[in-house]
């Protein structure tokens, strides 16, 4: 079972001059996508008892996600006000004192034996105490479990860039896979092109660094060199949840190939990585073809 740890929130998406509340959050989207793809997945993040908490729980249940590790909270659900410019999503967050933000390191449980890998990231890495909680989860488990990290950097959400960089400097060497968009890489290394920046991250310790760039496709950098997979051509409705769904496709492919383990990732080949990138791109293409973070179900994925 893959454990996903990180934020869930309500995306307030513009619709007909108003805003429609949709379940979202980077790590939450990846969790739902994994469940819809038929993977065994669990979620770790506080869920509010407010009405939006029920909105968040419904897609998790429909996708078969295990929520036993999700504490319920009387604090409010985080809101993200979404604006769309040319199909590209931009966000304003209402998060102070929210259910998820107040997750602390003391709230992190011992993980069940069924957990075989960890996925973490998103804005949950930025503020404390929740950022420290996710960092503690990774620190306690990375020696025995493979970890995939997607910081999904939102500069406008980061009040202390130096502290956040320091957290990433601690987390990325503990991760087996780090996924970074071109925008993430530009924020980390503004003087380098994306490929050079990705290789710079690789030097810090991860086994694989995934570099995504929308229509430019996805690249993977690892000890064996670099491989690429093109983006899948489709009509884009919006990009909400695209990278999150890509993450789920990669993880699902690695699990299906028997590679989602420390040993498997240590011996991975170029063809195996390319297969994972391709499934990630196929899943993301379906998500961007429809509005909101609405990842595909297994029966919607290409076969063969």
């Amino acid at each position: 079972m893959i454990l996903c740890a990180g934020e869930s929130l309500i995306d307030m998406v513009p619709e007909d001059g108003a805003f429609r509340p949709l379940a979202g959050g980077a790590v939450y989207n990846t969790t739902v996508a994994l469940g819809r793809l038929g993977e065994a997945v669990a979620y770790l993040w506080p869920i509010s008892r407010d009405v939006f908490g029920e909105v968040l729980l419904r897609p998790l249940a429909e996708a078969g996600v295990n929520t036993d590790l999700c504490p319920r909270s009387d604090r409010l659900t985080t809101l993200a006000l979404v604006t769309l410019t040319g199909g590209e999503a931009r966000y304003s967050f209402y998060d102070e004192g929210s259910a998820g933000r107040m997750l602390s390191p003391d709230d992190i449980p011992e993980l069940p034996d069924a957990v075989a890998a960890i996925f973490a990231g998103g804005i949950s890495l930025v503020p404390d105490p929740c950022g420290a909680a996710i960092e503690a989860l990774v620190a306690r488990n990375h020696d025995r479990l493979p970890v995939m990290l997607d910081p999904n950097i939102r500069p406008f959400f980061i009040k202390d860039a130096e502290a956040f960089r320091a957290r990433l400097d601690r987390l990325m060497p503990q991760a087996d896979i780090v996924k970074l968009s071109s925008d993430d890489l530009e924020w980390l290394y503004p003087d380098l092109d994306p490929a050079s920046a990705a290789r710079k991250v690789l030097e810090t310790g991860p086994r694989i660094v995934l570099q995504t760039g929308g229509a430019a496709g996805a690249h993977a950098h690892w000890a064996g060199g670099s491989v690429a997979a093109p983006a899948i051509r489709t009509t884009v409705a919006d990009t909400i949840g695209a990278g999150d769904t890509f993450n789920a496709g990669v993880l699902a492919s690695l699990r299906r190939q028997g590679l989602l383990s420390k040993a498997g990732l240590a011996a991975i080949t170029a063809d195996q990585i390319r297969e994972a990138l391709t499934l990630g791109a196929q899943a993301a293409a379906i998500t961007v073809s429809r509005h909101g973070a609405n990842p595909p179900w297994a029966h919607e994925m290409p076969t063969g």
Side-chain angles (χ1 to χ4, degrees), residues 5-7 25-27 30 93 119-127 134 147-155 157-158 164-165 167-169 171-173 175 177-181 183-185 187-188 201 206 208-212 243-244 247:
E7 81 274 2
V27 177
T30 297
F93 293 94
F119 173 81
I123 64 168
S124 55
L125 300 180
V126 179
I134 299 301
V147 175
M148 179 173 178
L149 183 73
D150 178 5
N152 198 31
I153 298 169
R154 306 293 188 190
F157 190 75
I158 301 167
F164 183 57
R165 287 180 183 275
R167 174 160 287 154
L168 292 183
D169 285 345
L171 278 169
M172 291 194 292
I177 305 170
V178 176
K179 180 260 191 174
L180 297 156
S181 69
D183 288 343
D184 295 338
L185 290 164
W187 188 86
L188 287 169
V201 174
I208 305 169
V209 175
L210 306 180
Q211 168 201 340
T212 59
D244 311 326
N247 293 335

Side-chain angles (χ1 to χ4, degrees), residues 9-296:
L9 49 82
I10 297 295
D11 283 323
M12 303 297 288
V13 180
E15 184 177 282
D16 299 327
F19 287 91
R20 179 185 179 192
L22 298 173
V27 177
Y28 176 90
N29 292 338
T30 297
T31 308
V32 172
L34 278 166
R36 289 187 178 187
L37 290 173
E39 296 300 311
V41 57
Y43 188 46
L44 169 56
W45 194 249
I47 302 290
S48 175
R49 292 188 179 90
D50 66 15
V51 65
F52 288 134
E54 297 305 316
V55 173
L56 291 167
L57 284 171
R58 193 174 305 116
L60 293 171
E62 291 171 350
V65 175
N66 183 309
T67 56
D68 291 348
L69 296 178
C70 292
R72 299 304 298 271
S73 170
D74 290 327
R75 295 180 178 274
L76 298 177
T77 299
T78 298
L79 302 182
L81 194 67
V82 182
T83 56
L84 298 173
T85 304
E88 291 288 331
R90 295 291 183 266
Y91 303 85
S92 299
F93 293 94
Y94 297 81
D95 186 50
E96 198 68 38
S98 68
R101 180 146 177 184
M102 301 312 293
L103 180 73
S104 76
D106 290 340
D107 297 323
I108 300 299
E110 291 295 319
L111 300 186
D113 291 341
V115 174
I118 295 172
F119 173 81
I123 64 168
S124 55
L125 300 180
V126 179
D128 286 327
C130 65
I134 299 301
E135 188 173 350
L137 170 71
V138 173
R140 294 173 194 172
N141 295 282
H142 76 94
D143 282 342
R144 65 186 184 88
L145 296 176
V147 175
M148 179 173 178
L149 183 73
D150 178 5
N152 198 31
I153 298 169
R154 306 293 188 190
F156 51 82
F157 190 75
I158 301 167
K159 295 181 178 179
D160 187 339
E162 183 176 344
F164 183 57
R165 287 180 183 275
R167 174 160 287 154
L168 292 183
D169 285 345
R170 295 189 297 270
L171 278 169
M172 291 194 292
Q174 299 178 67
D176 299 271
I177 305 170
V178 176
K179 180 260 191 174
L180 297 156
S181 69
S182 296
D183 288 343
D184 295 338
L185 290 164
E186 184 178 0
W187 188 86
L188 287 169
Y189 297 103
D191 296 330
L192 298 178
D193 63 87
S196 298
R199 287 191 289 270
K200 192 81 170 177
V201 174
L202 185 67
E203 292 171 3
T204 69
R207 290 196 179 277
I208 305 169
V209 175
L210 306 180
Q211 168 201 340
T212 59
H219 297 74
H221 307 270
W222 90 113
S226 298
V227 296
I232 309 299
R233 295 181 64 87
T234 188
T235 300
V236 176
D238 63 52
T239 61
I240 299 173
D244 311 326
T245 307
F246 172 84
N247 293 335
V250 168
L251 286 167
S253 177
L254 292 174
R255 203 279 312 162
R256 293 169 189 177
Q257 294 183 74
L259 300 170
L260 198 54
S261 66
K262 291 285 188 180
L265 293 174
I268 201 166
T269 68
D271 287 343
Q272 291 168 330
I273 294 177
R274 188 176 292 108
E275 185 172 333
L277 294 178
T278 298
L279 189 66
Q282 290 171 338
I286 294 173
T287 296
V288 302
S289 71
R290 48 205 194 190
H291 292 288
N294 185 8

